Amino acid sequence: MPESTQTTRPTRRTFTLASLSVAALATASACAESERDASRGGESSSSGGSQVDTFVFGGSADPDSLDPTFASDGETFRVSRQIFEGLVSTEPGTTELAPGLATKWEASEDGLSYTFTLQEGVTFSNGKPFDAAAVVANFERWYDLRGLAQGEDLAYYYRSIFRGFKTNDDPALTTSLYAGSTANPDGTVTVNLTTPFAGFLASLTLPAFAMQETAAVEAGGGNGTDGSDPRQSAYATSGPVGTGPFVFSAWERGQQLTLKRNDTYWGEKAKVATAIVRFISDGTARRQALQNGDIDGYDLVAPADVATLEGADFQIQNRPAFNILYLGINQAAPGLGDVKVRQAIAHAIDKDAVVRNSLPEGTKAATQFMPDNVIGYNPDVTTYAYDPDQAKTLLAEAGQPNLTVKFNYPTGVSRPYMPNPETIYKAISSQLTAVGITITPVAEQWNPNYLGTVQGGADHGVHLLGWTGDYNDPDNFIGVFFGAQTNEWGFNDAGLFDALAKARTVTSEDAQQTAYEDINEQIMTLLPGIPIASPVPSLAFAPGVDGYTASPVQDEVWNLVTVSRDS
């Protein structure tokens, strides 16, 4: 790979973002009398309005942790993107790579090492320097994790990308992709790999691989070296230290999380002094909070609420669909290891009806486990048309005419791929019931239980889950799902695992396209689950919010956001 062509561009934090169009303000009674306004402070602006110094965003749940190393959920990453930064970033509103804490990078011809030139003069929020030694310390921290910290439901992304640790405590892990790193005398840092990986640079945009001040991590018990859950450490609950435009201030569990402007930030400093994420699990309650002026914006707008909000002059931004909603099938559960049973489940589901009745306008039914704008999408993949009679026939052939399955689904959350889990569950469960499958519903709160149930153990049947792509590479979709044996899917297919491992090392786009098309066909023949749709997520904002650019990978940093109101 040649040296990055982005070597002279400013970092993402100093890009001028395209502003949101500001609609006419609603009637005077709408937001001006909000209880929140009285306490948030403000200053007059040249436009005649009042610019307030707090931005309040409505999140759907508490973060799982303040340490993104041990997270895989969007609510955690929403917060961590304000506190932490990675070596590589994305251009606002796109999946294109851009400089982050590294100004440029160069790969060796064999694809086994990458050398990064770092931003100068950057410090962590505790005053410690960010330099090549700090980069090495972060990579070594991930590599050295042991015991509980290596679990699928903790080091999810590290396992998916790097596949192994210095010492593997799980036999499902293999040799790590990471082969060491070096802080060079000229201030650059070189990261070495054991095998080429086409998605390596793009994977570094993940919050899970953001740079942290590792001495603070260690001091706060954030590595779980004593056998405890590192997500519950002092560091991960109250002491995160990064280089981003905001610093952690307070976390009121079940209520809100408060961030303060990082006044020593190296890039363009935040325009608001305070950013608050208020946790509102119910979508209707989030809409009402925006209408009442209690929050300035929120994600995952219910499809039925879009027209109502637009009619009241609120701003709507559609995030480009870069996700997949699926019905996972645990082949370790009774009856589900038979491919005929899985085919029956596929034929029982009317995806078009689920999309029409449960998902946002513009959503497409899915034929495979990636959206159609990712390399390797196969337009000719095997599909399973809605056919209840065929479903019943297959169940009978499998000796399962009266199959009973657990159906796990989350509550208390909205996700970009799953704005209303309960509604989607009801639609699919009724379709499965119609072909003779008895459903045992298992509803669990998203936080803290759901992911631990479907990813951390084997006690689940079919389940609703999905994925919002983190970067534009096929490995980030099907490689994450099916690259190794996991608790979620409950199957062990060496042929598929090997095909995905080989495809990761391919660097030619044409070769990638061919390899991943073949793999997508293999997956849909094995049928470890049923891809349902790629929903179009929407965000809503008050009329006076400016400077927020929706990202297909949710890489949204709030330092350029401003909030104003009528004076």
Side-chain angles (χ1 to χ4, degrees), residues 64-407:
D64 197 38
S65 170
L66 298 180
D67 181 350
T69 295
F70 300 115
S72 61
D73 66 292
E75 295 302 330
T76 295
F77 289 165
R78 189 192 312 283
V79 172
S80 65
R81 280 186 166 105
Q82 316 312 319
I83 300 172
F84 303 107
E85 299 171 302
L87 295 176
V88 184
S89 185
T90 60
E91 290 195 43
T94 77
T95 61
E96 298 300 315
L97 300 185
L101 289 172
T103 61
K104 62 181 181 181
W105 45 83
E106 185 174 5
S108 61
E109 289 187 8
D110 60 8
L112 294 177
S113 67
Y114 289 78
T115 297
F116 298 89
T117 300
L118 305 181
Q119 293 281 356
E120 297 181 357
V122 178
T123 61
F124 290 101
S125 60
N126 64 357
K128 299 293 180 63
F130 168 77
D131 53 19
V135 175
V136 171
N138 274 272
F139 275 91
E140 290 294 314
R141 176 207 175 195
W142 307 323
Y143 186 51
D144 286 341
L145 293 174
R146 293 296 307 273
L148 181 68
Q150 292 186 5
E152 283 180 40
D153 55 339
L154 276 81
Y156 187 80
Y157 279 107
Y158 190 87
R159 288 175 63 118
S160 297
I161 300 300
F162 290 92
R163 303 297 172 90
F165 299 84
K166 184 176 182 179
T167 302
N168 291 331
D169 296 319
D170 182 342
L173 294 163
T174 61
T175 300
S176 179
L177 175 69
Y178 177 67
S181 52
T182 304
N184 302 316
D186 63 357
T188 63
V189 61
T190 298
V191 179
N192 301 307
L193 308 180
T194 54
T195 184
F197 174 37
F200 177 66
L201 283 172
S203 74
L204 295 183
T205 65
L206 286 165
F209 303 129
M211 296 290 106
Q212 305 190 44
E213 208 281 289
T214 55
V217 175
E218 184 64 32
N223 291 324
T225 52
D226 60 355
S228 62
D229 188 337
R231 294 171 298 186
Q232 305 306 318
S233 68
Y235 178 82
T237 56
S238 61
V241 180
T243 64
F246 290 92
V247 297
F248 172 77
S249 177
W251 184 359
E252 301 167 62
R253 298 270 181 166
Q255 300 296 319
Q256 65 183 34
L257 187 144
T258 302
L259 303 168
K260 295 294 184 180
R261 178 168 52 217
N262 180 2
D263 289 324
T264 64
Y265 181 52
W266 62 275
E268 187 165 352
K269 293 179 175 56
K271 297 185 181 301
V272 294
T274 303
I276 295 172
V277 181
R278 189 158 292 161
F279 314 131
I280 308 172
S281 63
D282 180 71
T284 299
R286 287 197 298 276
R287 171 179 56 77
Q288 293 171 340
L290 180 67
Q291 292 170 318
N292 294 337
D294 295 325
I295 61 176
D296 299 308
Y298 72 99
D299 203 349
L300 311 174
V301 179
D305 290 339
V306 171
T308 298
L309 291 169
E310 286 185 319
D313 291 331
F314 290 95
Q315 303 176 78
I316 298 292
Q317 283 200 59
N318 288 326
R319 180 181 283 120
F322 196 65
N323 58 46
I324 193 77
L325 164 68
Y326 60 78
L327 181 74
I329 301 177
N330 176 19
Q331 293 184 36
L336 299 181
D338 189 328
V339 69
K340 285 189 175 182
V341 170
R342 301 196 299 277
Q343 290 171 346
I345 292 172
H347 283 298
I349 297 174
D350 185 348
K351 296 179 186 179
D352 290 334
V354 174
V355 168
R356 185 170 57 252
N357 299 321
S358 307
L359 296 170
E361 185 176 348
T363 294
K364 298 178 182 179
T367 63
Q368 54 213 277
F369 284 88
M370 63 166 63
D372 60 10
N373 54 356
V374 177
I375 293 172
Y377 182 86
N378 187 344
D380 300 316
V381 75
T382 295
T383 57
Y384 302 85
Y386 173 55
D387 189 339
D389 290 337
Q390 178 67 4
K392 293 175 184 178
T393 298
L394 286 164
L395 287 170
E397 290 177 358
Q400 296 283 356
N402 301 304
L403 178 68
T404 297
V405 298
K406 289 182 178 179
F407 193 150

Side-chain angles (χ1 to χ4, degrees), residues 375-376 474-475 478 500 503-504 512-520:
I375 293 172
D475 187 74
I478 55 178
L500 281 162
R504 281 164 56 97
Q512 271 191 307
Q513 182 68 33
T514 300
Y516 283 103
E517 281 184 359
D518 291 344
I519 290 170
N520 275 317

